[in-house]
Amino acid sequence: MVTAIVPARPVAAGRAASAAARTTAEVLGDLEVNGGGLSSEEAERRLKRWGPNAVHSHRARAWLVLWHQLRSPLLGLLVAAAVVSYFVGQHSDAVIIGVIVALSVGLGFANEYRAERTAQALHAKIRHRAVVLRDGRPQEVEVTGLVPGDVVELRLGDIVPADLRLLQATGLECSESVLTGESLPVAKDTAPVPAGTALADLAACALMGTVVHSGSGRGVVVATGAEAEFGKIAAGLNGHQLETEFQVGLRRFSMLLVYVAGALTASILIINVALHKPLIDALLFSLAIAVGITPQLLPAVVSTSLAAGSRRMSRRKVLVKRLVCIEDLGDVDVLFTDKTGTLTQGRIDFMRAVPVGGTSAEEVLRLGLLCTETDVDDQGRPVGGNPLDEALWDSPASASQRPALRGWKRVAVLPFDHERRMVSVTVTDAAGVTMLITKGAPETVLERCAEVTEPVRRALEAEFAAGNRVVAVANRPARADTTLAAADERDLRLAGLLVFLDPPKPQVAEALGRLDALGITVKIVTGDNPAVAAKICHDLGLADVGVLTGTDLDALDDERLTAAIRHTTVFARVSPEHKARIVRTQRRTGGDVAFLGDGVNDALALHAADVGISVDSATDVAKDAADVILLEKDLGVLADGVTEGRRIFANTIKYVLMGTSSNFGNMFSAAGASLFLPFLPMLPSQILLNNLLYDSSQLAIPTDEVDEEQVRRPAHWDIAFIRRFMVCFGPISSLFDFVTFAVMLWVFHADAAQFHTGWFVESLATQTLVIFAIRTRRTPFWRSRPSLPLTLTALGVVALGAALPATPLAHVLGFQLLPPGFFAAVAAMVVVYLLLVETGKRIFYRTAYAPARPQPAFGHRHLRRRAARFSTVTRLPRPRATRRPLANRPHPGDATESRTSSVPRTPTR
């Protein structure tokens, strides 16, 4: 008998596990590559063979959009009832209902699919790159273009672009919570692990989707796309995104309509059956009422608004990862932002080197150039370096020092991290002399120096007070070790200071004024020196600049921090954890928070915010955490985005308020009319046609103008407010419906067909034209003009409804010619109705209460955001065993993996 042994932790069974159990030489041999990487031609061949490094496609799928239109339960019941009516002999009604349902579905499909195509186009503009060795030199390539055999460089903050077998690792730690749920980073090295090792313990591999928490490394790609460990998880995700506040509001609003429609439909059906009216007619009428009260084209109106808004924002250099993020952007009332590139020009210029203790400016500059963790290309330029290093290399002063650097060799690197805030290297010159060089934030570097004179400290304070950015450079003799640790950063000799200039943007003051006018409070969160940040804010005209440092934050509990945030404009020398804590604390006050950042240390805060905003030039980890990408780091562009989000929300609410009030009134009228009329007040097909024409007229709402006061402050979904509006204005609509009933019965002595026709024309006119009153709190046309497309569409639909009884379709639709006097009566009723709505609107808004602010809802979005990074517009084939790149050559311990692996093995090529 064989006893199965269940491992205590999940066993990794894919390409990464197999590669981790082998030596680096074996893995490179299997992949037919050396440490210098692939050639461009070979990479192209492998890409064609194995496909893009993607886990899903973001292309618009017509069938999925169509399914969204067809999955309505009410629609299904209506189609079923139409089929039944066809088989019981009511062929014309069945055909008419079928045609109207098809037109409604087609209209919604066309608009939503267009919005999906817009989202696809926007998504395609967002780029994610990785540094790889191609043709023997470092290059930046799209992550979707990586193939097995590529040699990839890893640095602090990088998102690992594929499953990698590590070839080099220097203090490398990766945060793997997206895969394993472990909150602590995992240390990495190059030593093979035993076969059958759990996924969380694959120290020899860096796995796709994880984040480089500290250190640096180099690895060879062993699995891409859906064959990577992250890809297996992401490929199993369904297409549903976590809901934003706007989507939650839509869902709650839909549930309100479901309850109202259910109550009205059931009561109308019971009344009609009790009055011995034909069962099929009563059923169709009840279902048509249910469909009529539901704004079927609300998704289309929202999608059209968002798509149009996204196109406008794209022209203004704002990209959104998800269209609904535009709405969320409009809800923001507090913005936390970094300083560099937002308030300042972001074009950092090296100004001068300040020597200390007998060194020369040339020596300080040379040491600064040598102390970098990035590799250089064949022109001697760093690839993927930080902005300060790039500014140093691009400066005219560095040109004379570059020839002197050729005799130096870098032996070891201790990469930058946000706790130490510095980078160290050991280098050896042509004569074999080795030294340790440290470069970083002056406060931390000076702490590790053996001696710092008071004049040096005063000079440093003067540079900070002038708003300059300063990097300190120190060195000492060292041994030519291949390893370097933080403990080695001691007993340093301060060589000098490197001074950089990043002046304020000239247009920032105007942008800050626009944000203030939108009710958005801007606060600065930076890792820079507090004196520098305060000087920049003062130059930009920000008054009452309160400053807190990371040390100050550590001394405050959450309650005291909440109070302190209100009076603080600048948070300086803060860590990533500090930034996230500030955002979370602000969110607990009930306000909607946006965070704008582009660095590795901004990722935690970007995830914690309601809306994460980054820039196209940001680090991958920052772009991955963000919801909105700015192609230009400009607060003016951000103000445009906020205005657009509020405009879209305002137009969406116009449709919601108008539809719920008028539809509720009309359907309530239908229920009341059923009590005393010997016939149905309107045929089911006529109700559906009325609803289709009405909704079609509202597709122009996204083009409408929005009053200035509607974008001055954030607006939120308030179901209680919508319900109150519906209850207040619905009866006004019903009142005029009953007046129409009286006119038709007692003035024109209408029969059933003429009654149907008269109410059809009147209800279409009143519920369509009421948009001109409801769309604004001002006086319509006089103080607030609608857009031309909305005006023409509304008037055109009313004219079409009035003309239908005189067309050849009248007999098919069950219409009859109306007497001319009826149109005069309808015109008078419409004018009185709009005047009454206008009067009621003024009373309603005068007594309306302030909507309650929604409570913040945190959700785990990391996995889906990360998966979106590895996406392509092309169709992805299913992974097959024959496509696996890494050969599994027999070696000791393979038996364990073969028993536990669910992935087919590939024979050696």
Side-chain angles (χ1 to χ4, degrees):
M1 182 177 68
V2 178
T3 303
I5 300 176
V6 180
R9 305 179 70 179
V11 175
R15 302 294 90 201
S18 177
R22 298 170 182 261
T23 65
T24 57
E26 290 175 327
V27 173
L28 291 173
D30 288 342
L31 292 168
E32 299 180 357
V33 66
N34 57 40
L38 300 171
S39 66
S40 299
E41 294 77 11
E42 177 61 21
E44 186 67 27
R45 283 194 293 269
R46 296 192 183 196
L47 183 62
K48 291 178 181 178
R49 177 180 178 186
W50 287 310
N53 178 34
V55 298
H56 70 81
S57 172
H58 58 254
R59 64 190 178 86
R61 296 175 175 85
W63 65 269
L64 188 59
V65 176
L66 182 60
W67 167 244
H68 289 164
Q69 298 295 319
L70 297 175
R71 65 182 180 180
S72 167
L74 287 176
L75 186 64
L77 287 174
L78 195 62
V79 172
V83 171
V84 171
S85 67
Y86 179 84
F87 284 105
V88 297
Q90 299 181 4
H91 297 168
S92 59
D93 281 353
V95 171
I96 291 172
I97 293 173
V99 170
I100 292 173
V101 168
L103 288 174
S104 178
V105 170
L107 197 57
F109 169 81
N111 281 276
E112 287 204 43
Y113 185 63
R114 183 184 179 190
E116 289 287 332
R117 293 295 298 268
T118 299
Q120 172 183 306
L122 293 177
H123 199 127
K125 294 181 180 179
I126 299 173
R127 296 283 184 259
H128 298 286
R129 296 179 174 86
V131 177
V132 303
L133 296 181
R134 292 263 179 97
D135 302 317
R137 67 179 188 275
Q139 302 179 31
E140 287 189 333
V141 301
E142 296 288 334
V143 295
T144 54
L146 292 181
V147 295
D150 266 326
V151 176
V152 179
E153 298 285 349
L154 297 178
R155 300 191 187 93
L156 177 67
D158 286 350
I159 296 175
V160 180
D163 280 357
L164 308 179
R165 174 59 167 94
L166 292 173
L167 306 176
Q168 298 175 14
T170 304
L172 182 63
E173 292 184 353
C174 293
S175 175
E176 298 182 343
S177 59
V178 72
L179 282 178
T180 65
E182 297 288 343
S183 58
L184 296 177
V186 179
K188 299 292 182 178
D189 56 46
T190 60
V193 300
T197 297
L199 182 65
D201 297 324
L202 293 183
C205 285
L207 302 175
M208 172 194 271
T210 62
V211 180
V212 178
H213 182 268
S214 62
S216 61
R218 175 181 291 182
V220 60
V221 175
V222 296
T224 59
E227 293 175 354
E229 296 299 329
F230 177 82
K232 295 172 187 176
I233 299 173
L237 293 174
N238 59 33
H240 299 292
Q241 296 278 1
L242 292 176
E243 292 180 318
T244 66
E245 180 193 327
F246 177 73
Q247 291 171 310
V248 170
L250 279 178
R251 178 171 50 78
R252 294 179 60 202
F253 168 65
S254 300
M255 290 306 299
L256 169 66
L257 294 181
V258 167
Y259 296 142
V260 174
L264 281 178
T265 301
S267 60
I268 291 172
L269 178 61
I270 293 172
I271 290 171
N272 280 276
V273 171
L275 295 175
H276 305 291
K277 294 177 182 177
L279 178 61
I280 294 297
D281 287 349
L283 177 62
L284 285 173
F285 181 72
S286 301
L287 290 174
I289 289 292
V291 172
I293 200 174
T294 305
Q296 287 177 295
L297 293 186
L298 178 59
V301 169
V302 173
S303 298
T304 303
S305 296
L306 294 175
S310 67
R311 287 192 293 271
R312 283 190 292 269
M313 292 176 71
S314 178
R315 289 194 293 269
R316 296 175 180 178
K317 300 187 182 302
V318 181
L319 302 182
V320 289
K321 290 184 177 180
R322 298 169 60 197
L323 292 180
V324 292
C325 293
I326 301 175
E327 298 277 4
D328 292 338
L329 189 59
D331 290 340
V332 168
D333 49 17
V334 177
L335 170 67
F336 292 101
T337 177
D338 62 357
K339 175 180 66 67
T340 303
T342 306
L343 303 183
T344 63
Q345 294 184 6
R347 190 193 69 253
I348 301 175
D349 295 323
F350 173 69
M351 296 176 61
R352 60 183 175 273
V354 179
V356 173
T359 60
S360 64
E362 291 75 13
E363 181 182 355
V364 176
L365 179 58
R366 184 168 62 252
L367 293 175
L369 292 170
L370 287 169
C371 187
T372 178
E373 59 186 289
T374 60
D375 292 319
V376 295
D377 58 19
D378 48 4
Q379 277 79 41
R381 288 189 48 80
V383 179
N386 63 67
L388 291 174
D389 275 350
E390 291 178 356
L392 196 61
W393 277 84
D394 289 338
S395 66
S398 70
S400 61
Q401 296 298 318
R402 291 179 190 173
L405 301 180
R406 294 172 185 165
W408 292 82
K409 179 181 178 183
R410 189 169 61 190
V411 179
V413 179
L414 184 59
F416 178 91
D417 66 56
H418 296 286
E419 294 178 0
R420 295 167 35 253
R421 298 207 301 273
M422 54 188 175
V423 59
S424 293
V425 299
T426 52
V427 293
T428 304
D429 65 10
V433 177
T434 303
M435 75 168 66
L436 169 69
I437 309 173
T438 297
K439 179 176 72 177
E443 296 93 330
T444 56
V445 173
L446 265 57
E447 288 177 357
R448 292 161 173 79
C449 290
E451 181 182 0
V452 180
T453 64
E454 191 59 30
V456 171
R457 296 186 185 276
R458 287 198 298 268
L460 179 60
E461 291 174 0
E463 296 290 355
F464 284 149
N468 297 327
R469 300 189 65 173
V470 183
V471 172
V473 181
N475 67 332
R476 68 171 174 84
R479 294 179 301 174
D481 293 335
T482 57
T483 60
L484 192 57
D488 297 320
E489 297 170 328
R490 55 178 173 77
D491 300 327
L492 300 174
R493 178 186 67 90
L494 182 63
L497 306 175
L498 298 173
V499 182
F500 299 84
L501 176 65
D502 188 12
K505 290 181 178 178
Q507 68 273 27
V508 166
E510 178 186 354
L512 289 172
R514 289 184 59 194
L515 291 172
D516 182 65
L518 292 170
I520 297 176
T521 302
V522 179
K523 296 180 182 293
I524 313 305
V525 184
T526 178
D528 207 346
N529 181 273
V532 175
K535 174 65 164 56
I536 294 293
C537 291
H538 182 270
D539 291 345
L540 292 173
L542 288 176
D544 302 325
V545 180
V547 180
L548 283 179
T549 65
T551 304
D552 298 329
L553 295 178
D554 290 334
L556 299 176
D557 58 23
D558 287 348
E559 183 177 351
R560 293 167 62 197
L561 177 58
T562 301
I565 288 176
R566 289 197 296 268
H567 309 292
T568 304
T569 304
V570 174
F571 301 86
R573 287 299 191 219
V574 289
S575 68
E577 290 76 14
H578 287 143
K579 295 182 180 182
R581 184 189 173 202
I582 292 169
V583 171
R584 286 194 299 266
T585 302
Q586 178 63 34
R587 286 198 67 192
R588 280 193 286 269
T589 65
D592 281 12
V593 178
F595 188 91
L596 171 58
D598 61 358
V600 177
N601 56 341
D602 297 321
L604 291 177
L606 286 166
H607 278 298
D610 293 287
V611 181
I613 307 168
S614 192
V615 293
D616 192 41
S617 58
T619 60
D620 284 339
V621 67
K623 286 195 290 187
D624 175 76
D627 303 295
V628 178
I629 305 294
L630 306 181
L631 297 184
E632 288 184 1
K633 200 171 184 181
D634 184 353
L635 289 181
V637 172
L638 185 57
D640 291 339
V642 171
T643 303
E644 189 63 36
R646 295 181 184 178
R647 194 189 71 81
I648 291 172
F649 185 86
N651 280 336
T652 302
I653 290 297
K654 291 177 188 177
Y655 177 83
V656 168
L657 294 179
M658 183 185 61
T660 51
S661 58
S662 58
N663 283 1
F664 175 75
N666 287 339
M667 298 310 106
F668 184 77
S669 302
S674 299
L675 293 174
F676 64 85
L677 288 178
F679 49 81
L680 294 176
M682 197 184 298
L683 297 179
S685 58
Q686 293 168 347
I687 292 177
L688 294 176
L689 178 60
N690 184 297
N691 192 54
L692 176 65
L693 291 175
Y694 160 74
D695 275 346
S696 300
S697 71
Q698 306 314 304
L699 287 176
I701 282 182
T703 69
D704 193 25
E705 305 295 333
V706 174
D707 298 337
E708 181 183 351
E709 59 268 20
Q710 290 180 286
V711 298
R712 282 181 186 164
R713 60 182 181 181
H716 305 276
W717 281 97
D718 188 352
I719 300 303
F721 178 85
I722 296 172
R723 183 170 55 244
R724 184 184 177 198
F725 192 95
M726 179 175 69
V727 172
C728 289
F729 288 90
I732 298 177
S733 176
S734 291
L735 174 63
F736 282 86
D737 286 336
F738 284 114
V739 171
T740 302
F741 297 163
V743 170
M744 293 301 300
L745 293 175
W746 298 336
V747 177
F748 296 103
H749 307 289
D751 57 12
Q754 199 172 55
F755 186 95
H756 297 158
T757 308
W759 190 32
F760 177 91
V761 172
E762 182 271 340
S763 65
L764 183 62
T766 53
Q767 70 178 346
T768 301
L769 296 179
V770 77
I771 180 61
F772 297 121
I774 290 179
R775 59 169 294 276
T776 177
R777 297 189 183 190
R778 301 178 179 180
T779 304
F781 295 101
W782 180 255
R783 296 187 58 222
S784 178
R785 295 181 181 179
S787 68
L788 182 61
L790 179 61
T791 303
L792 294 178
T793 305
L795 296 178
V797 164
V798 172
L800 177 61
L804 274 176
T807 66
L809 292 175
H811 176 70
V812 177
L813 296 172
F815 290 143
Q816 192 178 97
L817 279 174
L818 293 169
F822 174 77
F823 291 101
V826 167
M829 285 190 291
V830 167
V831 171
V832 176
Y833 171 64
L834 294 180
L835 290 175
L836 188 58
V837 168
E838 184 65 23
T839 302
K841 180 183 73 175
R842 295 178 182 274
I843 297 173
F844 177 83
Y845 284 119
R846 194 178 302 132
T847 60
Y849 60 92
R853 293 193 64 92
Q855 292 299 315
F858 292 90
H860 181 72
R861 297 172 288 175
H862 299 181
L863 182 60
R864 295 186 187 281
R865 282 176 168 178
R866 199 66 49 80
R869 184 173 187 269
F870 302 98
S871 65
T872 177
V873 74
T874 59
R875 182 189 298 273
L876 297 180
R878 286 188 174 185
R880 300 189 304 272
T882 55
R883 297 175 64 247
R884 295 196 176 276
L886 181 61
N888 287 321
R889 295 176 181 172
H891 67 284
D894 260 358
T896 303
E897 190 209 7
S898 64
R899 286 195 302 269
T900 58
S901 176
S902 60
V903 181
R905 309 293 293 270
T906 305
T908 303
R909 283 184 282 120

